[in-house]
DNA sequence: TTACATGTAATTATTATAGTTACATGTAAG
DNA sequence: CTTACATGTAACTATAATAATTACATGTAA
């Protein structure tokens, strides 16, 4: 089980839009880099647009970032592409037996722990921006 | 998409084994508290046993913890029940286009970021023991 | 009108999960 | 030895999510 590759594709898209800012970033172009079908890219781009991360117009080729690179965090992307529901990274079994001490308390006891773990993960993502990703790529290209 | 409830059930099992240490924790008994089929419990218990967290014997009823409460972390449970593969919490799209700067570098650039995020989550789990869960339950029962 | 762009739905195949059923093997008591 | 009950495991079913593909609607510009 893993977090959908939609997230990594979303990051790829945003990164490429920036690095191709002097060109036209059509869904076809982006799909070529990601190596997937343009319809997939358009689906994800729709989510990024809805989240206010990019600007695209029907019929007109070329997406643009809607925010500054350094203002787009990986957490923004993660939430934009809906890979994990709020506070639902961990599933907790339902309907434990209320006649049992553990049964009636387990959900409420572990839920805050799971919340804390999910928050720790999301905090790491919140501290990385598309600008950082681009720096990372530039370093690897040297 | 979420981390399987096998993990929360695993925690439930270990917690109940401890709180029922003067009784017999058969898979039937544990299943009653979790409110699931005993075969499910036995499957998970097999994993916990394999990971050295509990002791069970064929034909003989009653599981026991194989380690001290305070030495069993939620990370131990998480790894025991194989809900997430090592360093694979996040999927990364495969085969990006190597003819593109972003395409050839994106995987290696975001992989360490994802690793860091997963590690942050796992560190939280590593700092919580079954003893803590029991304390949490006892507080809720007051 | 045509060519090309975005946007979305439907379909298919695969995988993982959750739950159930069936049955094999092991233990202990009578 | 038989019976009752325990652990252990496989197979099956249903569901949901993912990934990929195809088809088509709508929009823009020449």
């Amino acid at each position: 089980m893993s977090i959908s590759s939609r997230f990594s594709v979303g990051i790829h898209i945003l990164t490429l839009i920036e690095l191709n800012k002097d060109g036209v970033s059509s869904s076809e172009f982006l799909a070529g880099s990601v190596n997937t079908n343009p319809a997939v890219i358009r689906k994800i781009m729709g989510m990024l647009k809805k989240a206010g991360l990019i600007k695209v117009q029907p019929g007109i080729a070329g997406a643009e970032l809607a925010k500054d690179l350094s203002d787009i965090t990986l957490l923004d992307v993660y939430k934009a592409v809906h890979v994990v529901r709020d506070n639902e990274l961990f599933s907790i079994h339902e309907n434990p037996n209320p006649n049992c001490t553990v049964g009636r308390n387990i959900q409420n006891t572990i839920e805050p722990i799971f919340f804390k773990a999910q928050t720790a993960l999301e905090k790491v993502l919140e501290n990385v921006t598309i600008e950082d990703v681009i720096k990372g790529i530039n370093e690897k290209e040297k």
Side-chain angles (χ1 to χ4, degrees), chain A:
Chain A
M1 149 289 125
S2 56
I3 292 175
S4 166
S5 63
R6 260 198 328 274
F7 179 40
S8 62
V9 172
I11 297 167
H12 189 140
I13 288 170
L14 293 166
T15 303
L16 187 51
I17 288 172
E18 172 61 23
L19 287 181
N20 186 46
K21 72 181 135 183
D22 297 329
V24 176
S25 295
S26 65
S27 54
E28 192 92 37
F29 170 75
L30 294 164
S33 176
V34 175
N35 194 9
T36 190
N37 189 290
V40 173
I41 298 297
R42 295 197 282 256
K43 177 92 185 280
I44 295 170
M45 283 171 79
M47 295 182 199
L48 297 175
K49 172 183 174 183
K50 194 167 176 185
L53 302 184
I54 61 173
K55 290 184 287 196
V56 285
Q57 289 170 271
I60 304 187
E64 302 173 3
L65 296 187
K67 295 168 70 173
D68 196 71
L69 286 193
S70 55
D71 289 330
I72 302 179
T73 69
L74 296 198
L75 184 64
D76 295 327
V77 186
Y78 167 95
K79 286 180 176 298
V81 294
H82 298 296
V83 285
V84 176
R85 297 179 177 203
D86 285 351
N87 198 21
E88 283 187 32
L89 176 58
F90 295 88
S91 296
I92 300 181
H93 55 295
E94 305 198 335
N95 304 316
N97 189 341
N99 292 331
C100 166
T101 300
V102 178
R104 67 178 163 262
N105 291 297
I106 193 71
Q107 294 175 323
N108 290 334
T109 300
I110 58 179
E111 192 266 339
I113 299 166
F114 287 172
F115 177 76
K116 190 174 175 186
Q118 180 169 349
T119 300
L121 173 150
E122 290 174 349
K123 268 267 187 307
V124 171
L125 299 181
E126 192 175 32
N127 283 324
V128 180
T129 64
I130 297 296
E131 185 178 42
D132 296 324
V133 175
I134 287 169
K135 280 180 184 164
I137 286 174
N138 287 335
E139 277 170 20
K140 292 194 189 305
E141 281 284 292
K142 280 185 192 164

